[in-house]
Amino acid sequence: MNRRQYLTRTCASTGLLASVAGCLGDLGGSSDADGGDADVDSRAGERAIDRAAGKLNEAAQSLSELGDLGNPEDVAFDPAEPRTRISEARDHLETAESELGEDRQADVETLRSYADALEGLIDVTVIVTDDTVSDDIDTVTTAIEEDGDIETASQTAHGRYQDISAATDRFEAANATIQDLDGDRLETLTGVALTELEEGANALGSAVASLETLAAAYDSTLDTDAGYGALERGRAGFENGSYEAAQTEFETAESTFANARSDLESGTENAPEGLVTYFETAACQTRRLATAAGAFADAAGAAASGDPITARDRKDDGEAALEKIGTCTN
């Protein structure tokens, strides 16, 4: 067994990305000791592939050091260094591809796939650990509670949802790459067990999925067509005496709010600890919005049927439900 293989397998026995990165960092140039009969090109290719593996494991180490993603907004993550390491690894792989024979091209491609996967996970981590997410949530929550600038809040929620949805797609692509990796070959080359990579990806996938659920719920709640917009059009129509049209708008809003609430309540079960309070607040808000919209729909229906007393009472019920939204963050 040559020195490269020995070191690689010794690293693999640690089972930790941090240890692997440090160990494989020493692999560069190890092929020089393999014997004098190896040609220069072969040694250059071996050094390049060893160095690529080391750089990729250094990038992976930055992910392993993130800590608990249960409170993603408390996790500080700077993607600059791991991205640089991946770029350096790709340069080494270009050298390895040109210097090594056909029998080693599968190794090169495995490391390229490893680089692709890490790059995707890093991109997703940037979104998940973005501390401005909480600022956007506060903006949206305040607008709903105080019946404030709903249009701006809607734009904020929609923009954030688009970013997180794109991150979810990015995660799915990275995860698919991980699932397609040759685990035995990856471990031989890098010392990283595929199960370790999968476990780290799963934790990240859970966090981004929860964020997407939360963002999607706010996006639909504040939607200017089917959500808050429908509620406001219904209220305007009711005041103008367009009761049937108002009832339709209220029913649309009620359905939208109820669906958002259902998604939030289901999502709370799997949400990271740091997001649970946000989920509970949003679920409370959408529940009371749905109650209000339902009461307003009944009021509009009663008014359209010539029952002013029921219309007044149910309208009052709707207004009371809206007033209670302000207590959801208490």
Side-chain angles (χ1 to χ4, degrees):
M1 179 184 300
N2 64 34
R3 181 170 178 265
R4 174 179 178 277
Q5 292 171 320
Y6 174 76
L7 284 174
T8 300
R9 294 182 186 182
T10 300
C11 287
S13 69
T14 67
L16 296 172
L17 285 178
S19 298
V20 168
C23 188
L24 279 181
D26 295 331
L27 290 181
S30 63
S31 296
D32 288 340
D34 289 345
D37 56 347
D39 60 43
V40 174
D41 287 350
S42 177
R43 290 198 301 273
E46 288 291 344
R47 284 195 298 270
I49 206 166
D50 290 345
R51 288 167 180 165
K55 294 296 182 182
L56 291 174
N57 278 344
E58 288 174 12
Q61 185 179 2
S62 70
L63 294 174
S64 72
E65 292 174 345
L66 284 176
D68 184 12
L69 284 174
N71 293 285
E73 66 180 29
D74 294 335
V75 176
F77 179 67
D78 183 356
E81 184 172 343
R83 282 172 174 164
T84 296
R85 297 293 171 264
I86 291 173
S87 178
E88 292 170 343
R90 292 192 189 279
D91 289 341
H92 289 310
L93 289 174
E94 288 290 334
T95 299
E97 182 180 37
S98 64
E99 301 293 352
L100 295 174
E102 286 296 325
D103 60 324
R104 300 299 306 280
Q105 295 308 307
D107 291 346
V108 173
E109 290 307 314
T110 293
L111 290 181
R112 280 197 173 124
S113 292
Y114 183 31
D116 291 342
L118 291 175
E119 204 164 46
L121 297 182
I122 287 167
D123 290 346
V124 175
T125 301
V126 170
I127 298 298
V128 169
T129 60
D130 184 351
D131 57 9
T132 65
V133 169
S134 59
D135 295 333
D136 284 352
I137 293 174
D138 290 341
T139 296
V140 170
T141 298
T142 299
I144 293 174
E145 285 184 349
E146 300 177 1
D147 196 18
D149 188 350
I150 297 300
E151 183 177 353
T152 297
S154 176
Q155 293 171 351
T156 297
H158 186 64
R160 182 63 70 173
Y161 173 59
Q162 286 184 314
D163 289 344
I164 295 172
S165 181
T168 300
D169 292 342
R170 189 77 171 97
F171 169 77
E172 290 175 352
N175 196 45
T177 298
I178 292 171
Q179 298 307 313
D180 288 340
L181 279 169
D182 181 332
D184 291 338
R185 190 182 298 274
L186 177 70
E187 188 163 0
T188 297
L189 292 166
T190 67
V192 176
L194 185 59
T195 54
E196 292 174 353
L197 192 57
E198 290 173 334
E199 288 172 5
N202 288 340
L204 186 59
S206 176
V208 74
S210 290
L211 275 177
E212 184 177 34
T213 297
L214 183 63
Y218 272 127
D219 186 41
S220 62
T221 296
L222 293 168
D223 184 77
T224 55
D225 290 327
Y228 219 97
L231 179 67
E232 290 304 295
R233 286 194 301 276
R235 298 181 76 181
F238 188 93
E239 294 303 320
N240 292 330
S242 302
Y243 300 126
E244 292 182 357
Q247 183 176 13
T248 298
E249 295 285 8
F250 287 137
E251 289 171 348
T252 296
E254 180 185 17
S255 176
T256 299
F257 298 147
N259 288 336
R261 182 207 66 216
S262 178
D263 290 342
L264 288 163
E265 290 176 346
S266 298
T268 303
E269 300 176 7
N270 298 318
E273 181 182 353
L275 296 180
V276 169
T277 298
Y278 294 139
F279 268 80
E280 291 174 344
T281 297
C284 173
Q285 291 172 332
T286 51
R287 181 169 60 253
R288 288 175 178 168
L289 281 169
T291 297
F296 288 146
D298 291 344
S305 299
D307 184 354
I309 295 176
T310 298
R312 182 197 62 204
D313 290 344
R314 293 300 285 148
K315 182 176 183 295
D316 288 345
D317 291 341
E319 296 293 348
L322 290 180
E323 286 293 325
K324 290 181 180 179
I325 292 176
T327 67
C328 284
T329 55
N330 297 333

